[in-house]
Amino acid sequence: MPIYTPPTEDMQYLLHEVMQVSQSDIPGYDELERDFTAAVLEEAGKISAEVLAPLNTVGDRQGCALENDAVRTPEGFKSAYDQMCEGGWIGLDADPAYGGQGMPYLLNTAVGEMFVSANMAFNMYQGLTHGAMSAIHVHGSDEQKETYLPKMIAGTWSGTMNLTEPHCGTDLGLIRTKAEPQADGSYAITGTKIWISAGEHDLTDNIVHLVLAKIPGGPDGVKGISLFIVPKFLPDADGNPGQRNALKCVGLEHKMGIHGNATCVMSYEGATGFLVGEAHKGMRAMFTMMNEARIGVGLQGYAQGVVAYQNAVAWAQERLQGRAVTGPANPDGPADSIMVHPDVRRNLMHQKSFVEGARAFAFWGAEMIDRAHRAEDAQAEAMISLLTPVIKGFLTDKGFETTVLAQQTYGGTGFTRDAGAEQFVRDARITMIYEGTNGIQSLDLVGRKLGQNGGQAVMAFFDLVKGFIKENEADEELKADFLDPLKAASKDLQEAAMYFMAEGMKNPANALAGSYDFLHLFGHVCLGLMWAKMARASRAALAAGTDNPAFHETKLATGRYYMARQLPATALHLARIKSGGDRVMALDAAAF
């Protein structure tokens, strides 16, 4: 069975030595003392390793079953879910006014990584609930908040989001689901939604569906979309599950991965729904949920890379094959471990340098969300809006790549089911697709986010990188190993942005054909910045006489690998971008 070790030491390092969270001016961060975060992460790590991880293979092999309109989740999932509820994990960062613990989103992100690494399919049940809670909390009426949030935060009710229909995915303006106004102020919801994660299951007493639909007579396209709460059971006068609503799961998708999560086809047959926010303003409400989900999917991508990497290292340390080119490292044994071979080291360093940089990037993104929401910082809001497609797209592309590299470490054994590596590959693959494919993320980044508000956010990012380099360039070793490579990569990013500004208006294809490369270029610069920040923190720790020098020396060596072997990819992406769109669009459709 695959192993999982919660990376709490690395998380504590990021929180307290790199980010220095308890010294932050973000409201609530002063409570994030080292002992407190250690206690939270230790408990989350314990349930991840001891409860969730052992069920990962079970969920993959058993899957979910649909019987008489009801879905049965894999063996052990219900007990594990009850333990999550008892520990208050679902409402860790939720509003205390409705029963949440009010912790920062940053701490929820750290905990969420461990839950996802341990069992991604299981964590999706509560992950979807978290997003639905956020949408209701921001856009719902006081009555809706009082009715739904306490039970969802407690975990006794779960939530979903229903967007996609059989004939439309990204182009939501084409949805056909209707919401007919009723005399009592409710709406009758009729239509079919597909690919609804956690749409039906046996873990909770009720499931609160957030459904996009159109009220007849409203504007065409996305301007006519409204959002509705459509519960599986209508709450009675006491707020408990009452009459069964006119909705059901009519099918389960047979998927490549995440078998432990029920991906449902949902049929609404005049189901009672309640408008969330204003009529025809559903997209605004749904994007509260979607943006959170996209950041969460970025976390899923690198979190699968984390657990895949851990297992690849364990295999490489034990697998005996061949001899080191410099002479036997294990002279008393029949062969050396494959750890002696440079190509295996390259493979593992590629994985390690990505997952540790990605974790820092995700934590930084979570910190910006906290700053935007808790400190009402408009600049932080603009920055995380710019970086959301990068977090989602880059971390999932590279997270999947990491699981493939981990599988490769095993050789032929990695292709077999018993090793467990192939499940990480299959589970990670969906992260590049759902919540907007990564191609859509790149179009969002270049087509909308880059030029938003006159490009203020991207210019602020460039200034941030420049400021960090200037602030630390007196440290010659840091400059040579980290700051100079970061400066070169940032210049590539700036040149790409200038190319889009010059060419985009004349020929939009020149910009959009390079959008995917731009997303990756941007992602590499972000991870380069993270590694430079970690290098500064580790150098400071070593200079201060840390009692754990090996940890910091390892961190610096890993960072140097990223800066020397991964960050130069920015030059390749820039060259592709500047080649323009003509070669991409050269063929007629029929020629394919």
Side-chain angles (χ1 to χ4, degrees):
M1 179 179 291
I3 61 167
Y4 176 61
T5 303
T8 53
E9 182 181 23
D10 198 65
M11 291 179 173
Q12 285 285 84
Y13 162 75
L14 288 175
L15 293 175
H16 299 289
E17 297 182 59
V18 179
M19 303 172 74
Q20 299 180 337
V21 290
S22 61
Q23 301 175 35
S24 171
D25 61 349
I26 299 174
Y29 271 42
D30 58 333
E31 299 177 6
L32 299 180
E33 297 290 346
R34 185 180 289 269
D35 289 346
F36 174 74
T37 58
V40 174
L41 295 178
E42 181 180 350
E43 285 302 310
K46 185 175 181 181
I47 195 170
S48 298
E50 297 178 7
V51 177
L52 303 185
L55 293 175
N56 197 38
T57 301
V58 174
D60 183 59
R61 297 189 180 182
Q62 288 187 6
C64 297
L66 176 62
E67 300 172 353
N68 301 319
D69 301 333
V71 169
R72 184 180 71 251
T73 54
E75 182 180 347
F77 271 42
K78 172 61 173 168
S79 175
Y81 185 83
D82 290 345
Q83 290 183 61
M84 297 292 284
C85 294
E86 291 165 8
W89 296 110
I90 295 172
L92 186 67
D93 67 333
D95 190 342
Y98 302 100
Q101 297 186 50
M103 300 295 176
Y105 183 75
L106 172 59
L107 194 58
N108 190 70
T109 297
V111 167
E113 180 201 310
M114 290 188 278
F115 292 162
V116 171
S117 288
N119 195 324
M120 177 174 156
F122 175 90
N123 190 67
M124 289 174 65
Y125 291 101
Q126 64 199 46
L128 270 296
T129 300
H130 191 282
M133 283 159 36
S134 296
I136 294 172
H137 188 265
V138 174
H139 301 283
S141 67
D142 289 342
E143 181 182 0
Q144 289 170 341
K145 294 176 189 178
E146 293 289 346
T147 299
Y148 297 100
L149 290 182
K151 292 181 173 61
M152 295 172 76
I153 288 169
T156 54
W157 292 9
S158 61
T160 72
M161 58 178 177
N162 287 234
L163 290 78
T164 306
E165 299 183 6
H167 61 284
C168 70
T170 300
D171 192 355
L172 290 171
L174 299 176
I175 67 171
R176 297 173 184 160
T177 299
K178 292 184 178 180
E180 298 278 357
Q182 303 298 294
D184 62 359
S186 67
Y187 292 78
I189 311 297
T190 302
T192 299
K193 298 288 185 176
I194 64 171
W195 303 336
I196 308 307
S197 299
E200 171 61 29
H201 55 79
D202 55 4
L203 303 180
T204 60
D205 298 333
N206 203 359
I207 302 174
V208 181
H209 299 285
L210 292 189
V211 182
L212 289 182
K214 289 186 174 181
I215 301 171
D220 293 334
V222 294
K223 293 181 179 179
I225 294 175
S226 301
L227 181 65
F228 300 87
I229 292 174
V230 190
K232 177 179 176 181
F233 293 99
L234 297 169
D236 63 19
D238 297 321
N240 297 314
Q243 179 184 349
R244 173 69 187 252
N245 210 347
L247 62 92
K248 60 183 177 180
C249 171
V250 295
L252 291 178
E253 301 293 348
H254 301 284
K255 302 165 297 184
M256 176 179 176
I258 55 169
H259 295 156
N261 191 267
T263 304
C264 304
V265 179
M266 300 297 300
S267 177
Y268 295 89
E269 303 164 355
T272 299
F274 307 97
L275 180 67
V276 178
E278 299 178 44
H280 317 310
K281 302 293 185 182
M283 289 302 294
R284 182 173 62 183
M286 182 55 80
F287 266 102
T288 296
M289 193 172 183
M290 281 289 292
N291 286 332
E292 178 181 310
R294 285 173 174 173
I295 293 170
V297 171
L299 183 149
Q300 286 181 331
Y302 88 80
Q304 285 301 286
V306 169
V307 66
Y309 162 70
Q310 288 185 1
N311 283 272
V313 170
W315 174 264
Q317 290 173 335
E318 296 175 3
R319 178 67 165 170
L320 302 180
Q321 291 281 284
R323 291 293 190 185
V325 293
T326 54
N330 177 31
D332 296 330
D336 295 332
S337 78
I338 62 173
M339 285 291 285
V340 303
H341 303 306
D343 191 61
V344 173
R345 292 292 187 93
R346 173 203 56 80
N347 188 334
L348 294 173
M349 284 294 281
H350 214 74
Q351 297 172 53
K352 180 178 175 64
S353 64
F354 166 72
V355 297
E356 293 182 12
R359 177 180 296 120
F361 186 21
F363 280 25
W364 182 44
E367 181 187 41
M368 280 188 277
I369 291 173
D370 280 330
R371 184 172 293 280
H373 295 171
R374 289 171 171 256
E376 299 181 351
D377 188 321
Q379 290 182 326
E381 182 72 48
M383 184 67 76
I384 191 59
S385 176
L386 171 71
L387 293 177
T388 292
V390 183
I391 291 172
K392 195 281 183 183
F394 185 71
L395 296 191
T396 58
D397 274 354
K398 292 297 182 180
F400 174 73
E401 177 185 299
T402 300
T403 65
V404 173
L405 289 171
Q407 183 187 36
Q408 187 73 14
T409 310
Y410 287 78
T413 300
F415 198 66
T416 65
R417 197 177 190 190
D418 290 342
E422 56 87 34
Q423 184 188 344
F424 301 134
V425 174
R426 289 186 289 104
D427 286 353
R429 186 64 183 87
I430 185 58
T431 65
M432 303 160 71
I433 298 172
Y434 61 12
E435 307 304 344
T437 66
N438 288 355
I440 294 297
Q441 301 305 316
S442 69
L443 295 179
D444 179 45
L445 175 63
V446 171
R448 293 200 320 118
K449 301 294 177 62
L450 193 59
Q452 213 163 43
N453 298 317
Q456 289 181 10
V458 74
M459 294 305 296
F461 178 83
F462 292 145
D463 288 343
L464 187 153
V465 174
K466 290 176 185 176
F468 179 85
I469 292 171
K470 186 174 182 179
E471 180 185 342
N472 295 282
E473 61 187 358
D475 184 333
E476 290 296 331
E477 187 171 337
L478 186 69
K479 182 177 184 296
D481 291 342
F482 292 90
L483 301 184
D484 287 347
L486 175 60
K487 186 175 183 179
S490 181
K491 285 184 176 179
D492 287 342
L493 183 63
Q494 292 177 63
E495 189 173 343
M498 292 300 294
Y499 174 83
F500 288 153
M501 291 178 188
E503 296 290 327
M505 294 299 291
K506 293 188 294 184
N507 183 359
N510 280 345
L512 298 184
S515 62
Y516 209 94
D517 280 285
F518 187 78
L519 184 147
H520 273 249
L521 201 169
F522 210 148
H524 276 299
V525 173
C526 287
L527 260 66
L529 176 62
M530 295 302 102
W531 273 114
K533 288 186 173 186
M534 287 187 279
R536 179 180 65 175
S538 285
R539 283 181 57 75
L542 289 166
T546 176
D547 58 0
N548 191 5
F551 176 90
H552 295 285
E553 292 289 1
T554 298
K555 190 67 67 175
L556 287 166
T558 306
R560 291 187 192 105
Y561 177 91
Y562 191 90
M563 306 307 276
R565 300 280 302 219
Q566 296 214 55
L567 190 58
T570 60
L572 170 64
H573 291 301
L574 176 61
R576 288 173 173 170
I577 289 167
K578 292 176 70 175
S579 72
D582 290 347
R583 290 170 179 79
V584 174
M585 305 300 292
L587 296 180
D588 291 333
F592 286 93

